[in-house]
Structure formats: structure tokens, C-alpha cells
Amino acid sequence: MAFYHPILFRLDAERAHTLTIAALGAWGKAGTPLAPSVPRLATTVAGIAFPNPVGLAAGVDKDGRAIDGFFGLGFGSVEIGTLTPLAQPGNPKPRIFRLPEDRAVINRLGFNNGGLDPALSRVCSPAKAGAQSGHPPSRVNKGPGGEGVLGINVGANKDASDRAADYVHGVTRAAPHADYITINISSPNTPGLRDLQHGAALRDLLAACTAAKGTTPIFLKVAPDLEPADIDDIARAALDNRIDALIVNNTTISRPGLRSANAQETGGLSGAPLVPLARRRLSDFRKATGAAIPLISVGGVDSGAEAYARLRAGASLVQLYTALVYEGPGLPARILRELDALLQRDGFATVADAVGVDA
Ligand SMILES: Cc1cc2nc3c(=O)[nH]c(=O)nc-3n(C[C@H](O)[C@H](O)[C@H](O)COP(=O)(O)O)c2cc1C
């Protein structure tokens, strides 16, 4: 997936994405940050100090090749992955489709990634850096943007005989390297994966993962395509297992009123058409958890106004992916400026003060 650019948009979406990640990876080593740090936007969630509440969603930088570049664009957090224990190629290409008239994307990548260990060797390890310097982990991912929070999103290999064991493996291995870990059981592109969102399978998975995480906070990422009973089940299981935050939500398999030629491609839909569903699920999970677990809202966030609305509706943080494709690399800095102005306008001294005021 690539930022909007006439030349990049003429390329196949996946080829453009690879070029974009390579360019950002190089820029991240030497570039000047695009977004100043704004004290009002700093916020602590699940015990982690985020420089701002706008994060890069999983799937953009699956293998952790451009983390510093994304911090340099202004993101307060970068979630790499989804990473599986073993490298896997994913589904046949083409498997990413732009829907320009809808400002949306459909993807059926299927967890293509280079495997957990190679990515871990690439990321800066807060815990190790802390241990070596004698200081506590300081969240030390320094890009042109300074400090940021690193999340590592883990999943199961398509052919795993024991999927839960893949998650436990991922959590165990990633924990020393991550500020937080996300267990992603919500991709529509690995057959049967989302069955882990239900009943005993979910409770067993969460118990095993929380036992493996050590002191690293653990987040759970859910699908938007859920029935009310599923939502209550997930909320209960997350509370019972002391999950540190819920990421609401992944892409949808629904196709709400699309106009673009690629609308009927198989896969998960993201971007602007996901906004109504993402807002609804945010409020559903806010009710179902009684605000006892921080919520991270994802799906179609493309402006400071939308980020602000999500915070007011109960999200402690937001993440985005697809809007970056259409708005370009200046988007995070613009969202931060707009969000800061909105908070100031309404008299909120901090992000946390605004969370849930409309809920
Ligand atoms: C091309 C593509 C690949 C994605 N890959 C992943 C992934 O590997 N793991 C994951 O948890 N979510 C993945 N997502 C979902 C996003 O993280 C996000 O939840 C979703 O796209 C909704 O946000 P958006 O509308 O801002 O894009 C992917 C999304 C896209 C468009």
C-alpha cells in the first residue's frame, strides 16, 4: 500500500507499498521529523506513555522495516505485524485492491510476513537496551520523531496444527521487545481464525497468552463483524483475563454501499466505508466493558475531527492505515494539529480528559 501519488497509484498496490516502506525506512534513519511533539497530546494508556494518541495500525509495516520513519511522520505508536512464528507467503497476488471512489481498500493478504524472529532482530528492544544500560526500559525507539511506542501484533500460521500454541509462542518471544503485544484473532483472511473470538476457544487462548506475557501489556484486536452476544462474550473474557486494551476493530467482510470497480473482491474492507461500523463497535464495546478496559478505535480515521470524535465516544487511542494511502505522509502531523486545536477549543487540558465525554 502506498501513499497517494499519481505515479505510485499507477503501480500495482502491493508493489507501490513495498516501494513506500523502503523509502520510509531510509528516510527514518536520517530525516527531519514532520510533527512537533505536543505536550497536550501525551497520554498514558495501559501504563504506557504515548507521546500522542494517533497510532499506525498493524499491517502497514508488517516486518518492522520502517518504524523510525513512521515515528518521524508523527505517529505516537507503531504496531508492526501481524507476525507469525514461521515466515509465510500469504495468498496469491493480486491481493490488495484500491477502491478510490470509496476511499477504501480491500485486502486478502493472508498474513504474508517474513516470520517473527527476523522482525524481532530488526526492532529496537526496549527491555534489552534498558538492561544493557542499567536503566529501566525507556521505550527507546528513536526515529526522526524521537520516542514512540512500539507494538508487536502476533498471529498464527495458516498451517499451524495448534493455533493457540502459535499465539503463545508469539507472545513469549515478542514480549521482551515490545511496549505492548497485540493478539490478532480478527483477520478475515486466514480461514477459521476468527473462530478464536468465541466461547471456550477465546477464554483458553486469552488465559494462555496472559500467562506468557510477563509484564508486557497485552491487547486484543477484534473484528467488526460480531453479533451482540459475541461482543458481550469477548468483553467478559477480556475482563476476566485482565487484557490491557481492546483494539476495535479490524477490516470488515461486509460491503456497505460501495461504488468502486473492485467492490466485490474477496477480503477485508478498510477506510471510509468502515466509519459507521467502527463507531458502532466502539460504543458497543464501551457499553459491554463498562469502560473498565481502554479501547483503541480503528477504521476510517482520516482527520483530527474523526480522531477527536472517537476519543469523545470512549476511545483512549486511535489507529489508522487506509487514510494514509489517500491523504499521504503529512496526514499524521495534520491530525495532531487538528486534534490539539479541538481539545484546546473545548477546554480539555489533556487527551484523557476528553475520553468518553460523549459516551
Ligand atoms: C492492506 C492491509 C493489511 C492489513 N494487515 C493487517 C495485519 O496484518 N494485522 C492486523 O491486525 N490488521 C491488519 N490490517 C487492518 C488494519 O490494521 C486496520 O484494522 C483496518 O484497516 C481498519 O483501519 P483503516 O480503515 O484505518 O485502514 C490490514 C489492513 C490493510 C488495509
Side-chain angles (χ1 to χ4, degrees):
M1 195 48 44
F3 298 145
Y4 175 77
H5 188 283
I7 295 175
L8 286 172
F9 259 41
R10 251 180 261 149
L11 298 177
D12 158 74
E14 190 161 349
R15 174 89 191 112
H17 176 76
T18 307
L19 289 172
T20 303
I21 293 293
L24 261 178
W27 178 75
K29 293 193 173 62
T32 313
L34 290 187
S37 83
V38 184
R40 194 200 319 275
L41 295 183
T43 190
T44 297
V45 177
I48 306 165
F50 290 76
N52 68 62
V54 181
L56 182 73
V60 183
D61 190 9
K62 288 183 190 261
D63 291 303
R65 295 181 184 281
I67 297 167
D68 289 343
F70 285 108
F71 285 137
L73 298 184
F75 285 109
S77 57
V78 170
E79 187 169 314
I80 66 167
T82 295
L83 291 159
T84 53
L86 303 175
Q88 65 179 24
N91 291 320
K93 298 177 186 176
R95 53 194 182 173
I96 308 182
F97 305 89
R98 298 185 191 100
L99 284 70
E101 291 83 358
D102 300 299
R103 295 184 87 73
V105 164
I106 291 175
N107 92 84
R108 51 169 178 270
L109 288 167
F111 288 171
N112 60 310
N113 73 107
L116 184 63
D117 285 347
L120 294 181
S121 70
R122 213 169 283 126
V123 304
C124 179
S125 155
K128 273 193 190 154
Q132 279 160 12
S133 67
H135 295 108
S138 59
R139 315 313 181 201
V140 287
N141 297 283
K142 301 259 189 234
E147 299 205 354
V149 170
L150 177 68
I152 302 182
N153 175 310
V154 299
N157 277 115
K158 185 179 174 207
D159 298 331
S161 54
D162 180 350
R163 285 204 168 137
D166 272 19
Y167 283 92
V168 172
H169 175 89
V171 170
T172 308
R173 292 278 302 125
H177 300 263
D179 294 322
Y180 72 84
I181 299 171
T182 297
I183 33 185
N184 174 20
I185 50 173
S186 49
S187 168
N189 300 314
T190 296
L193 191 83
R194 288 171 302 152
D195 295 346
L196 291 170
Q197 294 187 131
H198 308 282
L202 175 64
R203 285 193 296 275
D204 292 350
L205 177 71
L206 296 188
C209 288
T210 44
K213 80 187 182 69
T215 56
T216 307
I218 192 163
F219 300 176
L220 176 68
K221 186 166 180 180
V222 301
D225 310 308
L226 296 170
E227 299 298 325
D230 298 330
I231 293 169
D232 288 338
D233 246 27
I234 291 170
R236 183 81 265 144
L239 285 164
D240 289 348
N241 287 285
R242 298 173 189 277
I243 294 298
D244 294 282
L246 289 173
I247 303 183
V248 185
N249 41 242
N250 213 309
T251 55
T252 179
I253 56 170
S254 67
R255 292 290 181 266
L258 304 177
R259 297 178 298 137
S260 305
N262 285 327
Q264 294 315 319
E265 290 291 345
T266 299
L269 172 73
S270 57
L274 187 50
V275 166
L277 187 54
R279 288 184 185 156
R280 205 176 321 137
R281 288 296 171 259
L282 171 61
S283 109
D284 291 343
F285 274 100
R286 171 89 181 183
K287 283 194 201 98
T289 57
I293 298 182
L295 302 175
I296 301 169
S297 186
V298 201
V301 175
D302 64 353
S303 66
E306 187 60 30
Y308 183 52
R310 302 288 173 98
L311 299 178
R312 293 184 61 114
S316 297
L317 303 165
V318 300
Q319 294 180 337
L320 61 88
Y321 182 159
T322 302
L324 206 49
V325 175
Y326 292 101
E327 301 286 335
L331 179 65
R334 172 160 72 78
I335 292 180
L336 296 181
R337 275 195 312 274
E338 293 170 351
L339 183 58
D340 186 43
L342 289 166
L343 290 165
Q344 191 172 17
R345 182 196 71 188
D346 294 347
F348 293 114
T350 66
V351 165
D353 290 344
V355 172
V357 293
D358 291 341

